[in-house]
Amino acid sequence: MLDRQGLHLRAALFASIRDFFSSRGFLEVDTPLRQPVIIPESNIVPLAAEGQYLQTSPELCMKRILAAGCDKIFQLCPCFRKGERGRYHLEEFTMLEWYRLHADYRHLMDDCEFLLAEVAFGMAKDGAGTGPGGEDGGGGRFDLARPWPRLSVDDAFRRYSPLSLERSMADDCFEEMLVEHVEPKLGFVKPLFLYDYPVEMASLARKKPGDPNWAERFELYLHGVELANGYSELTDAGEQRQRFARELTRIEAMGGSHGGMPERFLADLERLPAAAGIALGVDRLFMLLAGYGEIGRAVPFGPDDF
Amino acid sequence: MYTASDLRKGLKVQIDGNPYIIIDFEFSKPGKGQALYRCKMRNMISGNQLVQTYRSVDKFEKADLEERKMQYLYNQEDEYHFMDTDNYEQLFITRDHLGDNVNFLIDNMEVEVLFFNGKAIDVSLPIFVNLVVTQADPWAKGDTSGTDTKPVTVETGYVLQVPPFVEEGDRIQIDTRTGAYVTRVKE
């Protein structure tokens, strides 16, 4: 359980996140936590709730709001993913998502650089200095001054993995190589953007214009921990439908349950101009900035508090 | 059968016919990727350790393990005989298998014997045992040579370092995990 100082620090983080986006003209939205239809993703298992599902991410609803013409939106909300429990995973966690019309993934990387500097400063003002991370409250361990290094997935594998990216994909061990050899090297001192993923891992990201083998997707790493996943949005409803169909088949093959094809979302996607969006794990960010060693200690009530 | 999502520290599973205990466990899941379950495991028979990463689809057999309370009876050369205190069944475990435990076994001592597929693979002793010192050099008072311990032999034949005031016939407490002297026990 977070102590009084931890609760104050966490509230300061939430407040400075809201300040950051409000002052830049982003509209705060709140979408339902429980929905009948969710994103079909075979690697993410939803929690069922009375015939519906608890959201695994607010992405579909937020993109529908975007398609309705709001050009900059953000949301801070709980998300739920069944069976995810570890040092950096909770089944229920707090997500920050933001979306921009007429933007691509590079705009989001810029947002990240400004956002983290500002919220770390906000927390420091609000009594960091005696946090559990040590004298500097944790935040001081990092150098958040921009620009941050950007490394393509291909280059990262060349640099750190015993198997090349191509070989890892062919041998079906991308995740193993990433987790064991690449991630532990990323984002020390300065945060790092790992960008341009193989198109097989695109999900809802658009292909790189002129190079369809790659998706315009990136992940933000700090201290070896994945903090955020952002991309230039796929706005081709036909292609998105095919990708969802493939995922639905996989989910069924695994014996999982799903809410079917997100038809209303696909219909709205037809109207969505170029856009970019990102999801950032707020509990992980708080854990790192305040110096808690594991995510379960960085939330007001962790799994061990019941 | 266990699935990967059952894996956790302390769980015992069977892999290639051997019982393993998970001594370290980490869940990870790269964004949009598959969940990975990284386990550090110890072979409960050989003691060898190994690190393996599993995916959600992997399945594991339960290790058929049973712990029984037994009493140590006697040894005949390298065979150490034990009796199940519930059903009086007797069996022996070889000296090789017992390893350092033989240093602390005295008649009638109650121990936990771990069985895998019906075969005894490990014996857990109480953490502290009291043993009688059978041989000790007298404490040379005024000895200022600077050594603050001396070797003694206990009733099992085990030799260890103790403070110089310990004498033949004393009962001393020994930590079976380290084999080290703890304290002299008052009768």
Side-chain angles (χ1 to χ4, degrees), chain A residues 1 18-19 23 30 33 38 68 113 116 118 129 131 150 175 185 190 194 241 253 268 280 284 288 297-298:
Chain A
M1 213 179 121
R18 289 199 159 94
D19 282 349
S23 67
D30 57 321
L33 296 187
I38 53 164
E113 292 180 340
L116 257 62
E118 194 163 315
R150 302 180 182 198
E175 283 96 340
K185 305 289 194 332
K190 261 182 190 295
L194 188 66
R241 178 183 293 278
D268 287 346
L280 183 149
R284 282 189 193 170
L288 291 174
R297 294 178 51 225

mmCIF file with all atom_site columns, all heavy atoms in Angstrom, chain A residues 1 18-19 23 30 33 38 68 113 116 118 129 131 150 175 185 190 194 241 253 268 280 284 288 297-298:
data_model
loop_
_atom_site.group_PDB
_atom_site.id
_atom_site.type_symbol
_atom_site.label_atom_id
_atom_site.label_alt_id
_atom_site.label_comp_id
_atom_site.label_asym_id
_atom_site.label_entity_id
_atom_site.label_seq_id
_atom_site.pdbx_PDB_ins_code
_atom_site.Cartn_x
_atom_site.Cartn_y
_atom_site.Cartn_z
_atom_site.occupancy
_atom_site.B_iso_or_equiv
_atom_site.pdbx_formal_charge
_atom_site.auth_seq_id
_atom_site.auth_comp_id
_atom_site.auth_asym_id
_atom_site.auth_atom_id
_atom_site.pdbx_PDB_model_num
ATOM 1   N N   . MET A 1 1   ? 0.849   -1.197  0.000   1.00 0.00 ? 1   MET A N   1
ATOM 2   C CA  . MET A 1 1   ? 0.000   0.000   0.000   1.00 0.00 ? 1   MET A CA  1
ATOM 3   C C   . MET A 1 1   ? 0.882   1.244   0.000   1.00 0.00 ? 1   MET A C   1
ATOM 4   O O   . MET A 1 1   ? 1.864   1.290   0.716   1.00 0.00 ? 1   MET A O   1
ATOM 5   C CB  . MET A 1 1   ? -0.872  -0.037  1.260   1.00 0.00 ? 1   MET A CB  1
ATOM 6   C CG  . MET A 1 1   ? -2.215  0.567   1.076   1.00 0.00 ? 1   MET A CG  1
ATOM 7   S SD  . MET A 1 1   ? -3.162  0.449   2.614   1.00 0.00 ? 1   MET A SD  1
ATOM 8   C CE  . MET A 1 1   ? -3.487  2.167   2.902   1.00 0.00 ? 1   MET A CE  1
ATOM 9   N N   . ARG A 1 18  ? -2.193  15.945  -16.399 1.00 0.00 ? 18  ARG A N   1
ATOM 10  C CA  . ARG A 1 18  ? -3.389  16.674  -16.868 1.00 0.00 ? 18  ARG A CA  1
ATOM 11  C C   . ARG A 1 18  ? -3.024  18.101  -17.268 1.00 0.00 ? 18  ARG A C   1
ATOM 12  O O   . ARG A 1 18  ? -3.482  18.608  -18.308 1.00 0.00 ? 18  ARG A O   1
ATOM 13  C CB  . ARG A 1 18  ? -4.471  16.672  -15.791 1.00 0.00 ? 18  ARG A CB  1
ATOM 14  C CG  . ARG A 1 18  ? -5.100  15.297  -15.604 1.00 0.00 ? 18  ARG A CG  1
ATOM 15  C CD  . ARG A 1 18  ? -6.454  15.355  -14.894 1.00 0.00 ? 18  ARG A CD  1
ATOM 16  N NE  . ARG A 1 18  ? -7.221  14.144  -15.169 1.00 0.00 ? 18  ARG A NE  1
ATOM 17  C CZ  . ARG A 1 18  ? -7.227  13.065  -14.366 1.00 0.00 ? 18  ARG A CZ  1
ATOM 18  N NH1 . ARG A 1 18  ? -6.540  13.071  -13.229 1.00 0.00 ? 18  ARG A NH1 1
ATOM 19  N NH2 . ARG A 1 18  ? -7.942  12.001  -14.699 1.00 0.00 ? 18  ARG A NH2 1
ATOM 20  N N   . ASP A 1 19  ? -2.168  18.744  -16.461 1.00 0.00 ? 19  ASP A N   1
ATOM 21  C CA  . ASP A 1 19  ? -1.726  20.104  -16.789 1.00 0.00 ? 19  ASP A CA  1
ATOM 22  C C   . ASP A 1 19  ? -1.034  20.129  -18.151 1.00 0.00 ? 19  ASP A C   1
ATOM 23  O O   . ASP A 1 19  ? -1.277  21.011  -18.974 1.00 0.00 ? 19  ASP A O   1
ATOM 24  C CB  . ASP A 1 19  ? -0.709  20.620  -15.754 1.00 0.00 ? 19  ASP A CB  1
ATOM 25  C CG  . ASP A 1 19  ? -1.401  21.060  -14.473 1.00 0.00 ? 19  ASP A CG  1
ATOM 26  O OD1 . ASP A 1 19  ? -2.650  21.150  -14.491 1.00 0.00 ? 19  ASP A OD1 1
ATOM 27  O OD2 . ASP A 1 19  ? -0.693  21.280  -13.478 1.00 0.00 ? 19  ASP A OD2 1
ATOM 28  N N   . SER A 1 23  ? -2.781  22.261  -21.098 1.00 0.00 ? 23  SER A N   1
ATOM 29  C CA  . SER A 1 23  ? -2.108  23.483  -21.533 1.00 0.00 ? 23  SER A CA  1
ATOM 30  C C   . SER A 1 23  ? -1.714  23.408  -23.005 1.00 0.00 ? 23  SER A C   1
ATOM 31  O O   . SER A 1 23  ? -1.372  24.414  -23.612 1.00 0.00 ? 23  SER A O   1
ATOM 32  C CB  . SER A 1 23  ? -0.879  23.749  -20.664 1.00 0.00 ? 23  SER A CB  1
ATOM 33  O OG  . SER A 1 23  ? 0.091   22.752  -20.890 1.00 0.00 ? 23  SER A OG  1
ATOM 34  N N   . ASP A 1 30  ? -13.465 10.629  -21.349 1.00 0.00 ? 30  ASP A N   1
ATOM 35  C CA  . ASP A 1 30  ? -13.617 9.402   -20.563 1.00 0.00 ? 30  ASP A CA  1
ATOM 36  C C   . ASP A 1 30  ? -14.579 8.467   -21.264 1.00 0.00 ? 30  ASP A C   1
ATOM 37  O O   . ASP A 1 30  ? -15.702 8.817   -21.566 1.00 0.00 ? 30  ASP A O   1
ATOM 38  C CB  . ASP A 1 30  ? -14.030 9.691   -19.126 1.00 0.00 ? 30  ASP A CB  1
ATOM 39  C CG  . ASP A 1 30  ? -15.310 10.494  -19.034 1.00 0.00 ? 30  ASP A CG  1
ATOM 40  O OD1 . ASP A 1 30  ? -15.508 11.412  -19.862 1.00 0.00 ? 30  ASP A OD1 1
ATOM 41  O OD2 . ASP A 1 30  ? -16.126 10.223  -18.132 1.00 0.00 ? 30  ASP A OD2 1
ATOM 42  N N   . LEU A 1 33  ? -15.359 1.767   -19.327 1.00 0.00 ? 33  LEU A N   1
ATOM 43  C CA  . LEU A 1 33  ? -14.398 0.720   -18.990 1.00 0.00 ? 33  LEU A CA  1
ATOM 44  C C   . LEU A 1 33  ? -14.896 -0.637  -19.480 1.00 0.00 ? 33  LEU A C   1
ATOM 45  O O   . LEU A 1 33  ? -14.124 -1.522  -19.783 1.00 0.00 ? 33  LEU A O   1
ATOM 46  C CB  . LEU A 1 33  ? -14.200 0.638   -17.473 1.00 0.00 ? 33  LEU A CB  1
ATOM 47  C CG  . LEU A 1 33  ? -13.590 1.854   -16.784 1.00 0.00 ? 33  LEU A CG  1
ATOM 48  C CD1 . LEU A 1 33  ? -13.306 1.532   -15.326 1.00 0.00 ? 33  LEU A CD1 1
ATOM 49  C CD2 . LEU A 1 33  ? -12.312 2.282   -17.479 1.00 0.00 ? 33  LEU A CD2 1
ATOM 50  N N   . ILE A 1 38  ? -14.291 -5.451  -28.008 1.00 0.00 ? 38  ILE A N   1
ATOM 51  C CA  . ILE A 1 38  ? -12.962 -4.896  -27.710 1.00 0.00 ? 38  ILE A CA  1
ATOM 52  C C   . ILE A 1 38  ? -11.998 -5.211  -28.848 1.00 0.00 ? 38  ILE A C   1
ATOM 53  O O   . ILE A 1 38  ? -12.335 -5.939  -29.778 1.00 0.00 ? 38  ILE A O   1
ATOM 54  C CB  . ILE A 1 38  ? -12.417 -5.454  -26.381 1.00 0.00 ? 38  ILE A CB  1
ATOM 55  C CG1 . ILE A 1 38  ? -12.471 -6.984  -26.414 1.00 0.00 ? 38  ILE A CG1 1
ATOM 56  C CG2 . ILE A 1 38  ? -13.192 -4.906  -25.199 1.00 0.00 ? 38  ILE A CG2 1
ATOM 57  C CD1 . ILE A 1 38  ? -11.625 -7.623  -25.364 1.00 0.00 ? 38  ILE A CD1 1
ATOM 58  N N   . ALA A 1 68  ? -14.606 11.615  -35.077 1.00 0.00 ? 68  ALA A N   1
ATOM 59  C CA  . ALA A 1 68  ? -15.727 12.567  -35.009 1.00 0.00 ? 68  ALA A CA  1
ATOM 60  C C   . ALA A 1 68  ? -15.237 14.013  -35.079 1.00 0.00 ? 68  ALA A C   1
ATOM 61  O O   . ALA A 1 68  ? -16.042 14.945  -35.018 1.00 0.00 ? 68  ALA A O   1
ATOM 62  C CB  . ALA A 1 68  ? -16.533 12.332  -33.724 1.00 0.00 ? 68  ALA A CB  1
ATOM 63  N N   . GLU A 1 113 ? 9.095   13.330  -25.002 1.00 0.00 ? 113 GLU A N   1
ATOM 64  C CA  . GLU A 1 113 ? 10.257  14.042  -24.463 1.00 0.00 ? 113 GLU A CA  1
ATOM 65  C C   . GLU A 1 113 ? 9.830   15.222  -23.593 1.00 0.00 ? 113 GLU A C   1
ATOM 66  O O   . GLU A 1 113 ? 10.370  15.443  -22.516 1.00 0.00 ? 113 GLU A O   1
ATOM 67  C CB  . GLU A 1 113 ? 11.163  14.518  -25.608 1.00 0.00 ? 113 GLU A CB  1
ATOM 68  C CG  . GLU A 1 113 ? 11.843  13.359  -26.325 1.00 0.00 ? 113 GLU A CG  1
ATOM 69  C CD  . GLU A 1 113 ? 12.753  13.821  -27.470 1.00 0.00 ? 113 GLU A CD  1
ATOM 70  O OE1 . GLU A 1 113 ? 12.582  14.961  -27.962 1.00 0.00 ? 113 GLU A OE1 1
ATOM 71  O OE2 . GLU A 1 113 ? 13.615  13.031  -27.870 1.00 0.00 ? 113 GLU A OE2 1
ATOM 72  N N   . LEU A 1 116 ? 7.678   13.823  -20.207 1.00 0.00 ? 116 LEU A N   1
ATOM 73  C CA  . LEU A 1 116 ? 8.407   13.233  -19.082 1.00 0.00 ? 116 LEU A CA  1
ATOM 74  C C   . LEU A 1 116 ? 9.218   14.274  -18.325 1.00 0.00 ? 116 LEU A C   1
ATOM 75  O O   . LEU A 1 116 ? 9.287   14.249  -17.093 1.00 0.00 ? 116 LEU A O   1
ATOM 76  C CB  . LEU A 1 116 ? 9.312   12.084  -19.554 1.00 0.00 ? 116 LEU A CB  1
ATOM 77  C CG  . LEU A 1 116 ? 8.729   10.700  -19.237 1.00 0.00 ? 116 LEU A CG  1
ATOM 78  C CD1 . LEU A 1 116 ? 7.413   10.497  -19.963 1.00 0.00 ? 116 LEU A CD1 1
ATOM 79  C CD2 . LEU A 1 116 ? 9.702   9.596   -19.564 1.00 0.00 ? 116 LEU A CD2 1
ATOM 80  N N   . GLU A 1 118 ? 8.470   17.332  -17.985 1.00 0.00 ? 118 GLU A N   1
ATOM 81  C CA  . GLU A 1 118 ? 7.574   18.177  -17.210 1.00 0.00 ? 118 GLU A CA  1
ATOM 82  C C   . GLU A 1 118 ? 7.008   17.450  -15.981 1.00 0.00 ? 118 GLU A C   1
ATOM 83  O O   . GLU A 1 118 ? 6.950   18.007  -14.896 1.00 0.00 ? 118 GLU A O   1
ATOM 84  C CB  . GLU A 1 118 ? 6.429   18.674  -18.102 1.00 0.00 ? 118 GLU A CB  1
ATOM 85  C CG  . GLU A 1 118 ? 5.670   19.810  -17.444 1.00 0.00 ? 118 GLU A CG  1
ATOM 86  C CD  . GLU A 1 118 ? 4.821   20.603  -18.433 1.00 0.00 ? 118 GLU A CD  1
ATOM 87  O OE1 . GLU A 1 118 ? 5.328   20.927  -19.526 1.00 0.00 ? 118 GLU A OE1 1
ATOM 88  O OE2 . GLU A 1 118 ? 3.658   20.884  -18.099 1.00 0.00 ? 118 GLU A OE2 1
ATOM 89  N N   . GLY A 1 129 ? 12.602  13.749  -3.095  1.00 0.00 ? 129 GLY A N   1
ATOM 90  C CA  . GLY A 1 129 ? 13.748  14.151  -2.302  1.00 0.00 ? 129 GLY A CA  1
ATOM 91  C C   . GLY A 1 129 ? 13.850  13.249  -1.095  1.00 0.00 ? 129 GLY A C   1
ATOM 92  O O   . GLY A 1 129 ? 14.921  13.032  -0.549  1.00 0.00 ? 129 GLY A O   1
ATOM 93  N N   . GLY A 1 131 ? 11.818  10.308  -1.352  1.00 0.00 ? 131 GLY A N   1
ATOM 94  C CA  . GLY A 1 131 ? 11.076  9.151   -1.864  1.00 0.00 ? 131 GLY A CA  1
ATOM 95  C C   . GLY A 1 131 ? 11.844  7.864   -1.652  1.00 0.00 ? 131 GLY A C   1
ATOM 96  O O   . GLY A 1 131 ? 13.020  7.890   -1.295  1.00 0.00 ? 131 GLY A O   1
ATOM 97  N N   . ARG A 1 150 ? 17.261  7.406   -30.525 1.00 0.00 ? 150 ARG A N   1
ATOM 98  C CA  . ARG A 1 150 ? 16.262  6.626   -31.266 1.00 0.00 ? 150 ARG A CA  1
ATOM 99  C C   . ARG A 1 150 ? 16.986  5.506   -31.978 1.00 0.00 ? 150 ARG A C   1
ATOM 100 O O   . ARG A 1 150 ? 17.989  5.751   -32.653 1.00 0.00 ? 150 ARG A O   1
ATOM 101 C CB  . ARG A 1 150 ? 15.528  7.531   -32.264 1.00 0.00 ? 150 ARG A CB  1
ATOM 102 C CG  . ARG A 1 150 ? 14.851  8.690   -31.549 1.00 0.00 ? 150 ARG A CG  1
ATOM 103 C CD  . ARG A 1 150 ? 14.100  9.654   -32.454 1.00 0.00 ? 150 ARG A CD  1
ATOM 104 N NE  . ARG A 1 150 ? 13.548  10.731  -31.603 1.00 0.00 ? 150 ARG A NE  1
ATOM 105 C CZ  . ARG A 1 150 ? 12.576  11.551  -31.968 1.00 0.00 ? 150 ARG A CZ  1
ATOM 106 N NH1 . ARG A 1 150 ? 12.055  11.466  -33.171 1.00 0.00 ? 150 ARG A NH1 1
ATOM 107 N NH2 . ARG A 1 150 ? 12.138  12.472  -31.141 1.00 0.00 ? 150 ARG A NH2 1
ATOM 108 N N   . GLU A 1 175 ? 10.244  -12.471 -29.339 1.00 0.00 ? 175 GLU A N   1
ATOM 109 C CA  . GLU A 1 175 ? 10.014  -12.025 -27.961 1.00 0.00 ? 175 GLU A CA  1
ATOM 110 C C   . GLU A 1 175 ? 11.156  -12.450 -27.045 1.00 0.00 ? 175 GLU A C   1
ATOM 111 O O   . GLU A 1 175 ? 11.608  -11.677 -26.201 1.00 0.00 ? 175 GLU A O   1
ATOM 112 C CB  . GLU A 1 175 ? 8.693   -12.583 -27.416 1.00 0.00 ? 175 GLU A CB  1
ATOM 113 C CG  . GLU A 1 175 ? 7.462   -11.864 -27.939 1.00 0.00 ? 175 GLU A CG  1
ATOM 114 C CD  . GLU A 1 175 ? 6.836   -12.559 -29.137 1.00 0.00 ? 175 GLU A CD  1
ATOM 115 O OE1 . GLU A 1 175 ? 7.537   -13.364 -29.802 1.00 0.00 ? 175 GLU A OE1 1
ATOM 116 O OE2 . GLU A 1 175 ? 5.655   -12.308 -29.403 1.00 0.00 ? 175 GLU A OE2 1
ATOM 117 N N   . LYS A 1 185 ? 19.168  -3.609  -22.322 1.00 0.00 ? 185 LYS A N   1
ATOM 118 C CA  . LYS A 1 185 ? 20.194  -2.631  -22.691 1.00 0.00 ? 185 LYS A CA  1
ATOM 119 C C   . LYS A 1 185 ? 19.594  -1.250  -22.972 1.00 0.00 ? 185 LYS A C   1
ATOM 120 O O   . LYS A 1 185 ? 20.312  -0.310  -23.252 1.00 0.00 ? 185 LYS A O   1
ATOM 121 C CB  . LYS A 1 185 ? 20.930  -3.090  -23.960 1.00 0.00 ? 185 LYS A CB  1
ATOM 122 C CG  . LYS A 1 185 ? 21.541  -4.466  -23.879 1.00 0.00 ? 185 LYS A CG  1
ATOM 123 C CD  . LYS A 1 185 ? 22.730  -4.448  -22.947 1.00 0.00 ? 185 LYS A CD  1
ATOM 124 C CE  . LYS A 1 185 ? 23.613  -5.671  -23.039 1.00 0.00 ? 185 LYS A CE  1
ATOM 125 N NZ  . LYS A 1 185 ? 23.022  -6.915  -23.440 1.00 0.00 ? 185 LYS A NZ  1
ATOM 126 N N   . LYS A 1 190 ? 19.425  7.984   -20.143 1.00 0.00 ? 190 LYS A N   1
ATOM 127 C CA  . LYS A 1 190 ? 18.435  8.665   -20.980 1.00 0.00 ? 190 LYS A CA  1
ATOM 128 C C   . LYS A 1 190 ? 17.411  7.659   -21.492 1.00 0.00 ? 190 LYS A C   1
ATOM 129 O O   . LYS A 1 190 ? 17.764  6.517   -21.798 1.00 0.00 ? 190 LYS A O   1
ATOM 130 C CB  . LYS A 1 190 ? 19.127  9.293   -22.191 1.00 0.00 ? 190 LYS A CB  1
ATOM 131 C CG  . LYS A 1 190 ? 19.417  10.788  -22.061 1.00 0.00 ? 190 LYS A CG  1
ATOM 132 C CD  . LYS A 1 190 ? 20.063  11.264  -23.349 1.00 0.00 ? 190 LYS A CD  1
ATOM 133 C CE  . LYS A 1 190 ? 20.604  12.673  -23.229 1.00 0.00 ? 190 LYS A CE  1
ATOM 134 N NZ  . LYS A 1 190 ? 19.609  13.713  -23.029 1.00 0.00 ? 190 LYS A NZ  1
ATOM 135 N N   . LEU A 1 194 ? 12.635  2.822   -29.304 1.00 0.00 ? 194 LEU A N   1
ATOM 136 C CA  . LEU A 1 194 ? 12.884  1.694   -30.191 1.00 0.00 ? 194 LEU A CA  1
ATOM 137 C C   . LEU A 1 194 ? 11.804  1.795   -31.269 1.00 0.00 ? 194 LEU A C   1
ATOM 138 O O   . LEU A 1 194 ? 10.621  1.803   -30.946 1.00 0.00 ? 194 LEU A O   1
ATOM 139 C CB  . LEU A 1 194 ? 12.761  0.395   -29.395 1.00 0.00 ? 194 LEU A CB  1
ATOM 140 C CG  . LEU A 1 194 ? 13.171  -0.903  -30.074 1.00 0.00 ? 194 LEU A CG  1
ATOM 141 C CD1 . LEU A 1 194 ? 14.666  -0.907  -30.361 1.00 0.00 ? 194 LEU A CD1 1
ATOM 142 C CD2 . LEU A 1 194 ? 12.799  -2.100  -29.194 1.00 0.00 ? 194 LEU A CD2 1
ATOM 143 N N   . ARG A 1 241 ? -9.589  -4.452  -41.051 1.00 0.00 ? 241 ARG A N   1
ATOM 144 C CA  . ARG A 1 241 ? -10.534 -5.569  -40.933 1.00 0.00 ? 241 ARG A CA  1
ATOM 145 C C   . ARG A 1 241 ? -9.813  -6.903  -41.132 1.00 0.00 ? 241 ARG A C   1
ATOM 146 O O   . ARG A 1 241 ? -10.033 -7.858  -40.389 1.00 0.00 ? 241 ARG A O   1
ATOM 147 C CB  . ARG A 1 241 ? -11.671 -5.409  -41.961 1.00 0.00 ? 241 ARG A CB  1
ATOM 148 C CG  . ARG A 1 241 ? -12.687 -6.547  -41.944 1.00 0.00 ? 241 ARG A CG  1
ATOM 149 C CD  . ARG A 1 241 ? -13.751 -6.374  -43.014 1.00 0.00 ? 241 ARG A CD  1
ATOM 150 N NE  . ARG A 1 241 ? -14.614 -5.217  -42.773 1.00 0.00 ? 241 ARG A NE  1
ATOM 151 C CZ  . ARG A 1 241 ? -15.666 -5.227  -41.948 1.00 0.00 ? 241 ARG A CZ  1
ATOM 152 N NH1 . ARG A 1 241 ? -15.988 -6.342  -41.306 1.00 0.00 ? 241 ARG A NH1 1
ATOM 153 N NH2 . ARG A 1 241 ? -16.386 -4.150  -41.775 1.00 0.00 ? 241 ARG A NH2 1
ATOM 154 N N   . ALA A 1 253 ? -8.719  -20.208 -32.243 1.00 0.00 ? 253 ALA A N   1
ATOM 155 C CA  . ALA A 1 253 ? -7.859  -21.397 -32.244 1.00 0.00 ? 253 ALA A CA  1
ATOM 156 C C   . ALA A 1 253 ? -7.303  -21.665 -30.840 1.00 0.00 ? 253 ALA A C   1
ATOM 157 O O   . ALA A 1 253 ? -7.058  -22.811 -30.470 1.00 0.00 ? 253 ALA A O   1
ATOM 158 C CB  . ALA A 1 253 ? -6.717  -21.216 -33.232 1.00 0.00 ? 253 ALA A CB  1
ATOM 159 N N   . ASP A 1 268 ? -16.302 3.953   -38.409 1.00 0.00 ? 268 ASP A N   1
ATOM 160 C CA  . ASP A 1 268 ? -15.769 5.277   -38.081 1.00 0.00 ? 268 ASP A CA  1
ATOM 161 C C   . ASP A 1 268 ? -14.355 5.468   -38.637 1.00 0.00 ? 268 ASP A C   1
ATOM 162 O O   . ASP A 1 268 ? -13.949 6.590   -38.949 1.00 0.00 ? 268 ASP A O   1
ATOM 163 C CB  . ASP A 1 268 ? -15.764 5.489   -36.561 1.00 0.00 ? 268 ASP A CB  1
ATOM 164 C CG  . ASP A 1 268 ? -17.173 5.698   -36.013 1.00 0.00 ? 268 ASP A CG  1
ATOM 165 O OD1 . ASP A 1 268 ? -18.088 5.941   -36.822 1.00 0.00 ? 268 ASP A OD1 1
ATOM 166 O OD2 . ASP A 1 268 ? -17.361 5.605   -34.785 1.00 0.00 ? 268 ASP A OD2 1
ATOM 167 N N   . LEU A 1 280 ? 0.663   4.913   -22.639 1.00 0.00 ? 280 LEU A N   1
ATOM 168 C CA  . LEU A 1 280 ? 1.798   4.931   -21.716 1.00 0.00 ? 280 LEU A CA  1
ATOM 169 C C   . LEU A 1 280 ? 1.357   4.375   -20.358 1.00 0.00 ? 280 LEU A C   1
ATOM 170 O O   . LEU A 1 280 ? 0.307   4.750   -19.834 1.00 0.00 ? 280 LEU A O   1
ATOM 171 C CB  . LEU A 1 280 ? 2.308   6.371   -21.573 1.00 0.00 ? 280 LEU A CB  1
ATOM 172 C CG  . LEU A 1 280 ? 3.535   6.625   -20.707 1.00 0.00 ? 280 LEU A CG  1
ATOM 173 C CD1 . LEU A 1 280 ? 4.313   7.823   -21.267 1.00 0.00 ? 280 LEU A CD1 1
ATOM 174 C CD2 . LEU A 1 280 ? 3.199   6.878   -19.242 1.00 0.00 ? 280 LEU A CD2 1
ATOM 175 N N   . ARG A 1 284 ? 4.000   2.254   -14.225 1.00 0.00 ? 284 ARG A N   1
ATOM 176 C CA  . ARG A 1 284 ? 5.418   1.981   -14.472 1.00 0.00 ? 284 ARG A CA  1
ATOM 177 C C   . ARG A 1 284 ? 6.232   3.274   -14.438 1.00 0.00 ? 284 ARG A C   1
ATOM 178 O O   . ARG A 1 284 ? 7.326   3.317   -13.878 1.00 0.00 ? 284 ARG A O   1
ATOM 179 C CB  . ARG A 1 284 ? 5.605   1.328   -15.845 1.00 0.00 ? 284 ARG A CB  1
ATOM 180 C CG  . ARG A 1 284 ? 5.246   -0.132  -15.863 1.00 0.00 ? 284 ARG A CG  1
ATOM 181 C CD  . ARG A 1 284 ? 5.666   -0.732  -17.190 1.00 0.00 ? 284 ARG A CD  1
ATOM 182 N NE  . ARG A 1 284 ? 5.071   -2.043  -17.344 1.00 0.00 ? 284 ARG A NE  1
ATOM 183 C CZ  . ARG A 1 284 ? 5.104   -2.730  -18.486 1.00 0.00 ? 284 ARG A CZ  1
ATOM 184 N NH1 . ARG A 1 284 ? 5.694   -2.216  -19.549 1.00 0.00 ? 284 ARG A NH1 1
ATOM 185 N NH2 . ARG A 1 284 ? 4.554   -3.920  -18.553 1.00 0.00 ? 284 ARG A NH2 1
ATOM 186 N N   . LEU A 1 288 ? 9.209   4.107   -11.762 1.00 0.00 ? 288 LEU A N   1
ATOM 187 C CA  . LEU A 1 288 ? 10.582  4.485   -12.100 1.00 0.00 ? 288 LEU A CA  1
ATOM 188 C C   . LEU A 1 288 ? 10.956  5.848   -11.531 1.00 0.00 ? 288 LEU A C   1
ATOM 189 O O   . LEU A 1 288 ? 12.017  6.014   -10.945 1.00 0.00 ? 288 LEU A O   1
ATOM 190 C CB  . LEU A 1 288 ? 10.776  4.487   -13.617 1.00 0.00 ? 288 LEU A CB  1
ATOM 191 C CG  . LEU A 1 288 ? 10.749  3.122   -14.289 1.00 0.00 ? 288 LEU A CG  1
ATOM 192 C CD1 . LEU A 1 288 ? 10.794  3.278   -15.800 1.00 0.00 ? 288 LEU A CD1 1
ATOM 193 C CD2 . LEU A 1 288 ? 11.932  2.279   -13.820 1.00 0.00 ? 288 LEU A CD2 1
ATOM 194 N N   . ARG A 1 297 ? 4.169   -2.132  -5.865  1.00 0.00 ? 297 ARG A N   1
ATOM 195 C CA  . ARG A 1 297 ? 4.374   -1.226  -4.739  1.00 0.00 ? 297 ARG A CA  1
ATOM 196 C C   . ARG A 1 297 ? 4.104   0.229   -5.135  1.00 0.00 ? 297 ARG A C   1
ATOM 197 O O   . ARG A 1 297 ? 4.099   1.109   -4.280  1.00 0.00 ? 297 ARG A O   1
ATOM 198 C CB  . ARG A 1 297 ? 5.811   -1.350  -4.217  1.00 0.00 ? 297 ARG A CB  1
ATOM 199 C CG  . ARG A 1 297 ? 6.101   -2.715  -3.593  1.00 0.00 ? 297 ARG A CG  1
ATOM 200 C CD  . ARG A 1 297 ? 7.535   -2.820  -3.124  1.00 0.00 ? 297 ARG A CD  1
ATOM 201 N NE  . ARG A 1 297 ? 7.892   -1.682  -2.283  1.00 0.00 ? 297 ARG A NE  1
ATOM 202 C CZ  . ARG A 1 297 ? 9.027   -0.995  -2.381  1.00 0.00 ? 297 ARG A CZ  1
ATOM 203 N NH1 . ARG A 1 297 ? 9.923   -1.332  -3.277  1.00 0.00 ? 297 ARG A NH1 1
ATOM 204 N NH2 . ARG A 1 297 ? 9.265   0.018   -1.593  1.00 0.00 ? 297 ARG A NH2 1
ATOM 205 N N   . ALA A 1 298 ? 3.903   0.476   -6.436  1.00 0.00 ? 298 ALA A N   1
ATOM 206 C CA  . ALA A 1 298 ? 3.754   1.855   -6.915  1.00 0.00 ? 298 ALA A CA  1
ATOM 207 C C   . ALA A 1 298 ? 2.290   2.258   -7.067  1.00 0.00 ? 298 ALA A C   1
ATOM 208 O O   . ALA A 1 298 ? 1.995   3.368   -7.488  1.00 0.00 ? 298 ALA A O   1
ATOM 209 C CB  . ALA A 1 298 ? 4.483   2.025   -8.253  1.00 0.00 ? 298 ALA A CB  1
#
